[in-house]
Amino acid sequence: MNKTVLVVDDDPTQRRLSQAVLEREGFRVVHADSGRAALDHLGSGAPADVVLLDLNMPGLSGQETLADMRGRGFTQPVIVVTATGGIDTVVAAMRAGACDFVVKPASPERVIVSIGNALSLGAFRVEVDRLKKHAGGKTTFEDLIGSGPSMQMVKRLGERAAKSSIPVLITGESGAGKEVIARAVHGCSDRGGRPFVAVNCGAIPENLVESILFGHEKGSFTGASEKHLGKFQEASGGTLFLDEVGELPLDVQVKLLRALQESEIDPVGSKRPVKVDVRILSATNRDLSLAVAEGRFREDLFYRLNVYPIEAPALRDRREDIPALTETFIRRFNLEEGRRVAGASAETLALLTAFDWPGNVRQLENAVYRAIILADAPYLQPHDFPAISGLTLPPSAETSAVASITSAVAAPASVADLAADLQKSGPVQILDDRGHLRTLEEIERDLIQLAIEIYAGHMSEVARRLGIGRSTLYRKVREQGLEDQVREAG
């Protein structure tokens, strides 16, 4: 998703020059011919990731516009542009909230670098705010990414649940963001800012579940060299989130039920129960009602936990949120890995939106992370997601193959006829002699071999045409045993 720059200048010539420079670098550009128009644009909610603001304008000056922006709570980074680089002017602009200044006439390189730095600074502030909320237990439903109907329903249900201490069971597929919803319920409740303790019940060894949840006394069993409080007491005054609660052993389920009913726990080896003040939020990717029917989960505990169910929607059911999620992950991983990826191209977003994502948001997050590490262009391209996009054919071969498939589908034909048509589309065969798809590895080997022949072993050109990095190309050449082909072509 291309970043949007709001250019605020009363000079139409300057606006056109700025637009030409910025669009050449892949930015979207919107204009405002006055400070008032800029404020109206921002107030409408229209996109603006960074503002390029001229200080010397009739009517509302740049300084006044900047002060008004900050007064209204607009946090977009602002780069001021001035014809006079006086120190007083610069200091006043920086104090008013500008992140950088540019003196006219400025070189295109200076403007681009300044915008890049401003975007990085803005992303850094957003990420710092997110981490502060996460660490402080103050995540709210405003921090959840999602504007579609399914997520709006989750937010409405979650906000109502946060106003009481009612037990909440969050259901949904693995990776759909159940813990994020739980953190938002906690952050919006009167317990927000207090401890939020998450426990993955499925990751605890069965013989340690009771000790980890309820604690133990020193010497209560072999290896208990000191007293351990347990997760219930760690979360005292706050919220305990039991993820994958359906994985708990039956004997622990009995003790969990007592803890919920009596608000007290029995640490292992303790002579008396301990009172606890904890709100329980739980989550599962299993059908607990089925587990109850099969005797793997206690019916009374199920009814105790399932008082207020919230379903976390699968990512394939909220595809409209994929661009915003992708942008968020790009910003986060840019900061973590020190990269400067500007965003994802329109083709990439179309690819990601069309994919079904069986691993949900977690799978998308990991796919973007890998793409950020390997990307060698300002915007993520489809080939940066090989597990999703598969092998991309050269345009001519791809067009021929699509044409062959289209004609074959339009007229009734056997699988063998379709295979024959595809064989004629070029030297890279898609189907084998029996009409079945060849393996991706076989097609990839043929395509790399063809590219090496066409471009006479010039590996930089081969890599560019295939849309992959040189190091990736050389690795694939080694894996496919094509070193001799490279030497012969060279």
Side-chain angles (χ1 to χ4, degrees):
M1 186 180 297
N2 293 12
K3 299 297 183 182
T4 300
V5 180
L6 173 60
V7 178
V8 187
D9 201 311
D10 63 311
D11 183 354
T13 302
Q14 188 63 41
R15 293 200 303 270
R16 286 195 298 270
L17 290 173
S18 298
Q19 180 175 359
V21 169
L22 296 173
E23 288 184 344
R24 189 168 61 243
E25 296 297 323
F27 294 103
R28 289 184 64 250
V29 179
V30 291
H31 299 287
D33 58 6
S34 66
R36 186 62 56 196
L39 292 170
D40 290 342
H41 176 88
L42 295 172
S44 69
D49 296 294
V50 62
V51 180
L52 200 60
L53 176 64
D54 184 24
L55 286 183
N56 301 314
M57 294 186 295
L60 199 65
S61 69
Q63 289 279 16
E64 293 169 333
T65 302
L66 178 56
D68 206 345
M69 282 178 57
R70 296 306 184 228
R72 296 189 188 187
F74 299 126
T75 59
Q76 288 88 346
V78 176
I79 303 167
V80 296
V81 181
T82 177
T84 58
I87 187 66
D88 293 339
T89 302
V90 173
V91 169
M94 302 302 279
R95 284 178 175 173
C99 66
D100 199 359
F101 70 94
V102 176
V103 179
K104 295 180 181 179
S107 67
E109 293 78 10
R110 173 70 178 86
V111 174
I112 295 301
V113 168
S114 182
I115 290 176
N117 291 337
L119 290 171
S120 297
L121 179 61
F124 179 76
R125 287 173 176 168
V126 170
E127 187 64 10
V128 168
D129 289 343
R130 184 189 72 83
L131 292 173
K132 282 183 177 179
K133 287 185 175 181
H134 185 277
K138 297 182 178 180
T139 300
T140 68
F141 285 98
E142 293 181 357
D143 300 310
L144 266 63
I145 300 171
S147 57
S150 57
M151 282 303 294
Q152 290 301 321
M153 176 61 73
V154 167
K155 291 179 181 181
R156 286 195 297 270
L157 291 173
E159 287 169 350
R160 291 179 181 178
K163 295 176 183 178
S164 71
S165 57
I166 189 170
V168 177
L169 176 64
I170 306 171
T171 61
E173 298 178 5
S174 180
K178 297 186 288 294
E179 183 174 339
V180 177
I181 297 172
R183 287 184 178 276
V185 172
H186 168 72
C188 291
S189 71
D190 56 4
R191 294 175 182 263
R194 298 178 187 176
F196 178 92
V197 178
V199 182
N200 188 339
C201 300
I204 307 175
E206 188 170 339
N207 62 327
L208 295 178
V209 174
E210 185 178 354
S211 171
I212 289 176
L213 288 180
F214 307 117
H216 63 255
E217 296 294 328
K218 181 179 179 180
S220 57
F221 56 86
T222 303
S225 57
E226 57 185 21
K227 182 178 180 178
H228 173 67
L229 291 180
K231 298 300 182 181
F232 268 85
Q233 289 180 272
E234 284 182 29
S236 181
T239 299
L240 178 63
F241 175 57
L242 300 176
D243 196 11
E244 304 306 340
V245 69
E247 305 296 331
L248 286 176
L250 284 170
D251 58 332
V252 177
Q253 292 177 28
V254 177
K255 297 186 178 182
L256 176 59
L257 179 62
R258 172 177 170 77
L260 295 176
Q261 290 176 336
E262 307 298 334
S263 296
E264 62 182 28
I265 59 173
D266 292 303
V268 179
S270 176
K271 297 180 180 179
R272 60 181 62 88
V274 177
K275 283 289 184 181
V276 289
D277 175 24
V278 175
R279 180 181 187 175
I280 298 293
L281 302 177
S282 52
T284 180
N285 62 2
R286 296 178 178 270
D287 184 348
L288 289 188
S289 60
L290 179 61
V292 169
E294 295 175 349
R296 293 182 289 105
F297 199 83
R298 290 184 61 92
E299 186 175 14
D300 47 4
L301 178 59
F302 171 66
Y303 291 132
R304 183 74 184 184
L305 296 175
N306 195 40
V307 178
Y308 193 96
I310 298 177
E311 182 177 1
L315 188 54
R316 61 181 172 276
D317 296 328
R318 46 181 290 221
R319 297 177 190 271
E320 65 277 1
D321 298 330
I322 290 178
L325 288 166
T326 302
E327 183 176 0
T328 299
F329 295 144
I330 290 173
R331 179 178 64 240
R332 182 184 307 171
F333 295 132
N334 271 340
L335 294 173
E336 290 181 7
E337 301 297 331
R339 304 301 301 274
R340 297 291 290 270
V341 175
S345 68
E347 296 83 359
T348 302
L349 290 178
L351 171 73
L352 299 180
T353 303
F355 190 63
D356 272 347
W357 299 107
N360 294 295
V361 178
R362 185 181 295 123
Q363 184 184 4
L364 173 63
E365 181 180 10
N366 291 332
V368 173
Y369 188 14
R370 180 187 185 280
I372 289 287
I373 297 300
L374 299 180
D376 51 9
Y379 289 89
L380 298 182
Q381 302 299 325
H383 61 73
D384 292 320
F385 298 85
I388 300 168
S389 62
L391 187 62
T392 303
L393 295 175
S396 59
E398 185 176 10
T399 302
S400 299
V402 170
S404 298
I405 293 173
T406 303
S407 62
V409 171
S414 66
V415 173
D417 292 336
L418 178 58
D421 288 340
L422 285 171
Q423 300 290 23
K424 297 174 184 177
S425 66
V428 178
Q429 299 179 6
I430 307 299
L431 304 180
D432 60 22
D433 294 337
R434 294 181 297 169
H436 296 295
L437 283 171
R438 301 174 67 210
T439 65
L440 183 60
E441 183 179 3
E442 292 172 340
I443 298 174
E444 183 181 59
R445 186 183 192 282
D446 288 353
L447 183 58
I448 293 175
Q449 185 174 7
L450 174 63
I452 292 172
E453 293 174 359
I454 292 175
Y455 299 107
H458 296 294
M459 301 304 280
S460 296
E461 183 67 12
V462 171
R464 189 174 72 84
R465 294 291 180 177
L466 292 178
I468 60 178
R470 280 171 55 92
S471 59
T472 302
L473 175 60
Y474 279 113
R475 175 174 58 79
K476 290 182 178 294
V477 166
R478 289 194 301 272
E479 291 175 352
Q480 300 283 10
L482 294 173
E483 295 95 334
D484 293 340
Q485 180 79 20
V486 174
R487 285 192 289 269
E488 291 174 6

